[in-house]
Amino acid sequence: YDELAVAGLAAFLEGREPAGADLVLAVDVMVYVGDLAPVMQAAAHRLAPGGLFAFTCQKLDGGAPFALGEDMRYAHSAGHIRSVAEAAGFVLVRFTEASMRLDRGAPVPGLVAVLRRS
């Protein structure tokens, strides 16, 4: 590592130089975040125009934007992801379903999102 930081995700991204990164990647991170709006805004702050924000999350079906599951991980609805991404100035490049991991031998439904800062 060139650097190791201990901070909340949104606070870390906002504390960096603005608009310089080409990619922000968060794999198996969003399961520890409820409302994605602050993270989306922070990622947009950090990315250069045209930069990509790619992440995975557990999939939530139903009307709630997000919910904490029995596994103590957050799941997010596709609608929540789309709305907070748009509000932060992102364009959806790719949005697919995928299994995030196995839990007691069963696949955990998830989503993979790739967003481009407009």
Side-chain angles (χ1 to χ4, degrees), residues 22-110:
D22 294 321
L23 173 67
V24 172
L25 179 63
V27 178
D28 201 32
V29 172
M30 300 309 181
V31 295
Y32 303 108
V33 178
D35 183 6
L36 296 179
V39 172
M40 291 283 184
Q41 291 291 336
H45 165 81
R46 182 65 185 110
L47 285 166
L52 298 175
F53 180 30
F55 63 91
T56 62
C57 63
Q58 286 186 197
K59 181 182 174 193
L60 177 65
D61 292 320
F66 57 91
L68 186 62
E70 292 178 14
D71 61 357
M72 300 309 293
R73 291 177 172 91
Y74 285 98
H76 298 88
S77 71
H80 176 64
I81 293 167
R82 285 187 180 102
S83 67
V84 297
E86 183 180 321
F90 284 106
V91 174
L92 194 62
V93 174
R94 186 173 175 111
F95 201 47
T96 59
E97 294 187 18
S99 174
M100 295 296 95
R101 66 179 187 290
L102 295 177
D103 185 9
R104 290 175 239 146
V108 175

